[in-house]
Amino acid sequence: MRPRDDGKKEAIFTATIDLLNEIGFANISISKIAKAAGVSASTIYIYFENKEDMFKKVYLDVKKKMGEAMKEGLAADAPVKKSVFKICRNLLNFIGQHENYLLFLEQSSNSPLIAAMHDEEISQLFRPLLAVFEKGVKEKILKRLPAALLMGFCYFPIMQIRKEQCKSQNSFEGLDYEKVFEMCWDAIKA
Amino acid sequence: MRPRDDGKKEAIFTATIDLLNEIGFANISISKIAKAAGVSASTIYIYFENKEDMFKKVYLDVKKKMGEAMKEGLAADAPVKKSVFKICRNLLNFIGQHENYLLFLEQSSNSPLIAAMHDEEISQLFRPLLAVFEKGVKEKILKRLPAALLMGFCYFPIMQIRKEQCKSQNSFEGLDYEKVFEMCWDAIKA
Amino acid sequence: MRPRDDGKKEAIFTATIDLLNEIGFANISISKIAKAAGVSASTIYIYFENKEDMFKKVYLDVKKKMGEAMKEGLAADAPVKKSVFKICRNLLNFIGQHENYLLFLEQSSNSPLIAAMHDEEISQLFRPLLAVFEKGVKEKILKRLPAALLMGFCYFPIMQIRKEQCKSQNSFEGLDYEKVFEMCWDAIKA
Amino acid sequence: MRPRDDGKKEAIFTATIDLLNEIGFANISISKIAKAAGVSASTIYIYFENKEDMFKKVYLDVKKKMGEAMKEGLAADAPVKKSVFKICRNLLNFIGQHENYLLFLEQSSNSPLIAAMHDEEISQLFRPLLAVFEKGVKEKILKRLPAALLMGFCYFPIMQIRKEQCKSQNSFEGLDYEKVFEMCWDAIKA
DNA sequence: GATGAATGAGTCTTCATTCAT
DNA sequence: AATGAATGAAGACTCATTCAT
């Protein structure tokens, strides 16, 4: 018995995400993922219960990494505006470094399979981020609206605009994202 | 010769959209669509070349309907702010009346199949909407940024927030969308 | 009600033969034949009971034409050798003028569908040809063997050699068929 | 890892040949072959790339076996006449032992699929046979014609006559094949 | 742990045929 | 007579998954 080779699990993760970008949910399959990952299809069943379980775990993994990245460098005592901009910048950096995560996340989060999954672990992860916006509301710096809504007004535009750029290389060429962040801020500020 | 039954094409359209909401791109199939539409699977191939062609045509149809709806009631001489709010309201009404279009559009637009499709007809359709934002820029009422970006700041948040509401019934309960529109406006106004 | 358009039947015949040459029995279909013939698939069912019936009728038509051609110019009182050479020459001319018939005939005659069909009309048609060989046997000019066998020794080699030439253009380049006829003759002569 | 069961490949080969005899190229299908071979249809795709690949491999296998059989017992220093008769006898024995190969070969070799395939391996296999005829030409025992043509005059008649016998049991009843061989010889001898 | 073999169920698509006009 | 519409059955092939090694 060999010890579990974590390189294989990673290879499966990566292959899944990359393939999903290329061919989409409609055309992906375990055997294609296996081939792309350089393992046997049966090997996938050592690491995951089944196809659904695999997708969920890949999704959770990416979400966790993203949540982690967005929180980076946040200080509880920093002014809200600074924190919000930091979050936006973190998000942009993260998806800049992992372009493939973008489309994967979009495709996943809209699939009923993933939508039905409410992971407490994930919610927990994003709580510190929400706290920033809650703080802003309490301090009357931000509009009196649910924190999730306020955060959405930062998260969604950035994601979508970045996606647009990925899809058609020449759209929003030379766009200054600091201006985008400011739009987000204008949207939510009181 | 039997005339083509247009009800069938419509049934296929509807079945496709509804099914995609329920089971997603990963699990949908021509035979399931056929069953849901009450036609034989082979009938689908009378109306469409193949699966891909079908999805594209369904997508175009929905996009066209949406574009049409968003343009409704726009007056060229109306003040920009009024027009922008009108567009937002039109969009919300449209997706409120066709909840199933929402997830369908999201899933489609992120699938590589659709992403590769650049339809001139669609672009044309959205041009009058972009014109509103361009006018705003020219009048210095809106930020000096690409019209598509400004419009995205209205379109994306509304779509995403509405989607969030659809997914989990209780999120943003009792949300006043007029406030959302104002956020959009604040984001883009100069 | 229009009168039956015999041009259509001919078009179907021709399309069937040509297509069979191109794609073979394994890949041919009624709808492909219809498209090639420029008619609707349903039209084929006006002229023929079904697929099988159609193939049989096409086969019979070709066989009849071939039998007709092989008999041309035969004189009952001509010397056997002359007649045999005439038959060989007729056969070669016929398949030279209708290259497509060659592969069609070969493919058909080996298919169980056609093999099971014993058409009296066809047998009748080839009787005058067999008579030539029978006469040769009686006159002790030819070997004492069944006429069908003797004729086969003329028919098969010519067909096969011609087929070989069709398949690979360069095989037996510049072959003098008169020499082939002589081989046939040597084989059967007493 | 389970080792590949070579019995299965053989079963597929046999089933293909037998079925082709019974129902022909027009009606054969992978699933029917699978059923006849006692394996799942999907199993066939483990051993072959696709339907075409399968037929080609079955054809090559049969051709190889036939070439092998025809060469048996040939001595380079034997007189040409003896060798030619030996080849004819070998061929007859082979197709006598494998009646099903006959129709299979005929149907295959006339299908465009196989016709397009020129296998060097096969050509190689038949070279020693051609050498016999070339030797005969050089020794002026045989007619001055391409060896392939001379061999064809032995191969084709035997195959076709035997086929005729298979098709209708009573044709050429009690035929002495030694006489057929002599006809072949008479055809080609100088 | 890892994998090729194996398969029943499912994929998309085409088929032969009938129907309504 | 002629044909596009319509479809159940079947086509080739792939899938997710399990098994044996």
Side-chain angles (χ1 to χ4, degrees), chain C residues 9-99:
Chain C
K9 194 168 188 176
E10 262 304 299
I12 294 166
F13 274 32
T14 308
T16 302
I17 294 164
D18 291 352
L19 257 184
L20 220 32
N21 270 273
E22 285 171 42
I23 61 179
F25 256 113
N27 291 104
I28 209 165
S29 78
I30 290 282
S31 63
K32 284 177 191 164
I33 292 171
K35 189 172 287 182
V39 301
S40 163
S42 345
T43 303
I44 291 181
Y45 288 84
I46 295 168
Y47 294 91
F48 308 98
E49 277 175 54
N50 52 34
K51 200 185 162 189
E52 192 173 324
D53 177 56
M54 193 198 85
F55 278 118
K56 283 181 182 169
K57 288 199 171 130
V58 176
Y59 179 77
L60 287 181
D61 183 66
V62 170
K63 266 282 183 182
K64 214 179 291 182
K65 284 174 180 160
M66 188 171 75
E68 227 68 84
M70 285 172 78
K71 285 191 306 191
E72 210 151 284
L74 283 193
D77 54 350
V80 167
K81 185 170 180 181
K82 217 164 195 169
S83 294
V84 168
F85 272 74
K86 181 70 180 159
I87 290 171
C88 290
R89 226 169 274 126
N90 281 343
L91 174 60
L92 185 69
N93 279 343
F94 180 73
I95 59 183
Q97 278 159 37
H98 307 282
E99 273 204 11

Side-chain angles (χ1 to χ4, degrees), chain A residues 57-72:
Chain A
K57 287 196 173 133
V58 176
Y59 179 76
L60 287 181
D61 183 65
V62 170
K63 265 283 182 181
K64 212 180 292 181
K65 283 174 181 162
M66 188 171 75
E68 225 70 83
M70 286 172 77
K71 284 191 306 191
E72 210 151 282

Side-chain angles (χ1 to χ4, degrees), chain B residues 2-70:
Chain B
R2 205 185 303 184
R4 202 177 272 208
D5 178 354
D6 259 357
K8 267 175 193 168
K9 195 170 189 174
E10 262 304 301
I12 294 167
F13 273 35
T14 309
T16 302
I17 294 164
D18 290 352
L19 257 184
L20 217 35
N21 270 274
E22 285 171 42
I23 61 179
F25 256 114
N27 292 103
I28 209 166
S29 79
I30 290 280
S31 61
K32 285 177 192 162
I33 292 171
K35 192 170 288 182
V39 301
S40 164
S42 22
T43 302
I44 291 181
Y45 289 86
I46 295 171
Y47 294 89
F48 308 99
E49 277 176 54
N50 51 36
K51 199 184 160 189
E52 190 171 326
D53 178 55
M54 193 198 84
F55 277 118
K56 282 181 182 170
K57 288 198 172 131
V58 176
Y59 179 77
L60 287 180
D61 184 64
V62 170
K63 266 280 183 182
K64 215 179 289 181
K65 284 175 180 159
M66 188 172 76
E68 227 69 84
M70 287 173 77

Side-chain angles (χ1 to χ4, degrees), chain D:
Chain D
M1 173 180 53
R2 207 185 301 182
R4 203 178 272 208
D5 179 354
D6 259 357
K8 269 178 191 164
K9 196 169 189 175
E10 262 305 299
I12 295 167
F13 273 35
T14 308
T16 302
I17 293 165
D18 290 352
L19 258 183
L20 216 36
N21 270 273
E22 285 171 43
I23 62 179
F25 255 115
N27 291 104
I28 210 167
S29 78
I30 290 280
S31 61
K32 285 178 192 162
I33 292 171
K35 194 170 288 181
V39 302
S40 164
S42 19
T43 302
I44 291 182
Y45 289 87
I46 296 171
Y47 293 89
F48 309 98
E49 276 176 55
N50 51 36
K51 200 183 160 189
E52 191 172 326
D53 178 55
M54 194 197 84
F55 278 119
K56 282 182 181 170
K57 286 193 175 137
V58 176
Y59 180 76
L60 287 180
D61 184 64
V62 169
K63 266 280 183 182
K64 216 180 288 182
K65 284 174 181 161
M66 188 171 76
E68 227 68 85
M70 286 172 78
K71 284 191 307 192
E72 211 149 282
L74 284 193
D77 54 352
V80 167
K81 185 171 180 182
K82 217 165 195 169
S83 294
V84 169
F85 272 72
K86 180 72 181 156
I87 290 171
C88 291
R89 226 169 275 126
N90 280 344
L91 174 59
L92 185 69
N93 279 342
F94 181 73
I95 58 184
Q97 278 158 40
H98 306 282
E99 273 204 11
N100 277 345
Y101 285 9
L102 233 186
L103 206 62
F104 169 78
L105 276 173
E106 289 293 309
Q107 292 196 61
S108 297
S109 67
N110 289 312
S111 101
L113 189 145
I114 299 293
M117 173 186 65
H118 287 296
D119 193 79
E120 194 46 42
E121 207 185 348
I122 291 297
S123 308
Q124 214 79 39
L125 209 68
F126 282 84
R127 202 138 307 162
L129 296 171
L130 286 171
V132 169
F133 294 88
E134 278 156 6
K135 188 179 160 219
V137 173
K138 216 178 291 169
E139 294 176 359
K140 310 215 170 167
I141 293 170
L142 299 182
K143 295 195 168 82
R144 260 180 58 91
L145 287 163
L149 182 64
L150 299 172
M151 188 162 93
F153 249 94
C154 300
Y155 179 82
F156 293 133
I158 292 172
M159 291 288 277
Q160 299 294 338
I161 289 165
R162 193 66 242 256
K163 203 173 65 185
E164 219 67 24
Q165 281 195 305
C166 286
K167 275 202 268 189
S168 51
Q169 246 61 27
N170 56 345
S171 65
F172 307 137
E173 220 184 335
L175 172 63
D176 179 6
Y177 270 95
E178 287 299 320
K179 294 219 162 124
V180 175
F181 301 159
E182 267 158 39
M183 294 175 83
C184 296
W185 178 254
D186 288 345
I188 64 176
K189 77 152 187 267

Side-chain angles (χ1 to χ4, degrees), chain C residues 1 29 42 170 183 186:
Chain C
M1 247 201 308
S29 78
S42 345
N170 55 346
M183 293 175 84
D186 288 346

Side-chain angles (χ1 to χ4, degrees), chain A residues 2 40 42-43 47:
Chain A
R2 261 165 281 175
S40 164
S42 344
T43 304
Y47 293 91

